[in-house]
Amino acid sequence: ACFRLLCSLLIPALFLSGILCVCLVILLWGIRLWIQQRKKQLTSAGKDGKRPLLVAFFHPYCNAGGGGERVLWCAIRTLQKKYRNVTCVVYTGDRHATGEEIIEGAFRRFNIKLTYPVKFVFLEKRYLVEASLYPHFTLLGQSLGSVFLGWEALLKCVPDIYIDSMGYAFTLPLFKYLGGCRVGCYVHYPTISTDMLSVVRSQDTRFNNAAFITNNPLLSKFKLVYYYFFAFMYGLVGSCSDVIMVNSSWTLNHILSLWRAGACTSVVYPPCDVQTFMDIPLEEEKSTTEHSIVSVSQFRPEKDHPLQIRAFAKLLKEKRLGQSLSLKLILIGGCRNQQDEERVNNLKRLCEELGVLNDVTFKINIPFEELKRHLAEATIGLHTMWNEHFGIGVVECMAAGTVILAHSSGGPKLDIVVPYEGHITGFLAENEDNYAEMMAYILSLSPEKRLEIRENARRSVHRFSDQHFEETFLLSVEPLFK
């Protein structure tokens, strides 16, 4: 009787599931056909009668001034140089700026001039990927939000080739299976990493793992299950990419373990404008008593500016340097929104608390020439992000001729601040005490010794030039154009 009851319930359920699956497949196929039809209506032939190949970059914050944006504009410039019958499209949420202003901003900030015009598709639902919208389950919220934002992008413009250049992997299946596009991505930082899983597993308090969770074993276990589920989903959507480019050895290791798509994954170091910084003459320091320590990174929580301020305060407090030495810390970075501006205000309050407000200068969204001037005058280049995926700011500091002091993890440790031809190129540190000690040590070196380190560092960064990026980028994206 039980068996008959089970069969009478199971068979209709399986039948119904089958019908629903067939309906879903038909619906998705219908949507795909409708989108293809829409593509024909939206695109027109060029002057020669041929329809240009549309290459779209998904970069909702393309007007921000970070390293990710430099990659975007260099990638577009590279494609424009190589392929004539290509129109580059940028999906952006920067509706407060015009296309001309965005292009002008790219030139002003990064010294990048494009050969041909770019088509901008302005998106209205960018708020769906803002972290502030999801105080809890932020990763999942932003990823689902990116699917809705991607859908808006797809409806407004259906490209032939789609490249996610900002880390929204959940948009990849949307463009591949519904848009019928060839898809690629440039991964700056995995949305979730095995390091993040280990932080939760070991109940370690970090900026993305609050103390109330680490102190509660049940909440920690729940978060770990959630992270494993998310990592599985992230691996699933990422693996559907035809071409995967990553910016460093650190990112490569994580993407290989999560996406398991080694055959189409390659390291493409981000383009750093090393040549421009190398124009700065490398001379022995003019002053032995005045030194500036410069940090170049956006004002985001993971960049850990408080660590820089605390280490600098410790350095001044302990007076290990002798009374005659005059020191200043210059924090240079981009502010994308009100949250970033609030973060800067909090940092200023921290400076006040530690009594170093007069010794710390904030330079926000400054022009390229001013950035260059500060780096030319600096003795130490400071970088404190834990597991920085690459570190364009680190490379720029080394090219400009500062003695770099970066975090002993991620890209700086594996790819950048490594010995070159057997010679030292910079220094690494891990915590407040380490940073204060290393800054004191660097300042205690003779100007001749510092010059030697600066010269080694400058020679080592040719691997990260625009030219090297262009070659490796074109090699990687080639399968998308076949």
Side-chain angles (χ1 to χ4, degrees), residues 212-443:
F212 78 90
I213 290 174
T214 59
N215 297 333
N216 187 315
L218 190 67
L219 284 178
S220 281
K221 285 206 168 42
F222 177 75
K223 186 167 184 176
L224 193 60
V225 169
Y226 157 58
Y227 266 21
Y228 272 113
F229 166 74
F230 186 84
F232 171 74
M233 293 301 294
Y234 182 60
L236 216 58
V237 295
S239 62
C240 77
S241 191
D242 300 311
V243 163
I244 302 161
M245 293 167 279
V246 297
N247 66 343
S248 69
S249 306
W250 182 85
T251 309
L252 176 72
N253 295 335
H254 287 288
I255 289 298
L256 288 178
S257 70
L258 290 162
W259 291 12
R260 302 182 191 280
C264 56
T265 307
S266 56
V267 176
V268 177
Y269 287 130
C272 309
D273 196 8
V274 292
Q275 200 48 56
T276 306
F277 289 104
M278 283 183 182
D279 293 344
I280 298 169
L282 212 55
E283 299 159 348
E284 251 185 58
E285 296 142 25
K286 294 178 185 75
S287 169
T288 53
T289 54
E290 285 183 25
H291 295 281
S292 67
I293 298 162
V294 171
S295 154
V296 183
S297 54
Q298 285 186 305
F299 290 102
R300 302 209 300 259
E302 64 272 23
K303 299 295 181 184
D304 206 352
H305 289 91
L307 174 56
Q308 299 179 358
I309 294 164
R310 285 196 301 271
F312 180 70
K314 201 176 192 85
L315 179 71
L316 293 183
K317 190 182 173 186
E318 297 189 2
K319 290 191 170 70
R320 284 178 275 195
L321 313 158
Q323 297 294 328
S324 60
L325 215 55
S326 165
L327 281 179
K328 58 182 175 185
L329 174 64
I330 302 168
L331 303 179
I332 300 172
C335 274
R336 303 162 299 172
N337 48 38
Q338 204 177 334
Q339 276 178 306
D340 289 356
E341 283 161 24
E342 184 54 42
R343 207 165 281 123
V344 170
N345 292 333
N346 290 337
L347 292 171
K348 285 178 181 173
R349 280 194 282 275
L350 177 64
C351 291
E352 210 166 347
E353 283 167 30
L354 296 171
V356 294
L357 192 60
N358 295 333
D359 306 296
V360 181
T361 309
F362 289 83
K363 297 284 180 180
I364 297 153
N365 298 332
I366 61 170
F368 185 76
E369 285 307 312
E370 196 182 336
L371 162 72
K372 201 170 155 182
R373 183 169 56 78
H374 284 297
L375 284 175
E377 292 166 2
T379 303
I380 298 173
L382 194 59
H383 191 271
T384 46
M385 180 175 165
W386 170 72
N387 269 340
E388 168 72 270
H389 34 306
F390 179 72
I392 287 181
V394 175
V395 173
E396 288 175 346
C397 286
M398 289 165 77
T402 69
V403 178
I404 191 69
L405 174 57
H407 199 282
S408 184
S409 63
K413 183 183 181 179
L414 296 174
D415 293 308
I416 307 170
V417 191
V418 294
Y420 180 72
E421 293 178 354
H423 300 290
I424 190 170
T425 58
F427 300 90
L428 299 167
E430 282 184 19
N431 53 42
E432 197 179 308
D433 290 337
N434 277 167
Y435 272 98
E437 281 163 24
M438 290 312 302
M439 283 190 278
Y441 174 70
I442 293 164
L443 293 164

Side-chain angles (χ1 to χ4, degrees), residues 59 99 106 113 123 206 214 256 260 419-420 446 475:
H59 209 104
K113 203 161 181 65
L123 307 174
R206 296 256 177 185
T214 59
L256 288 178
R260 302 182 191 280
Y420 180 72
S446 67
L475 210 59

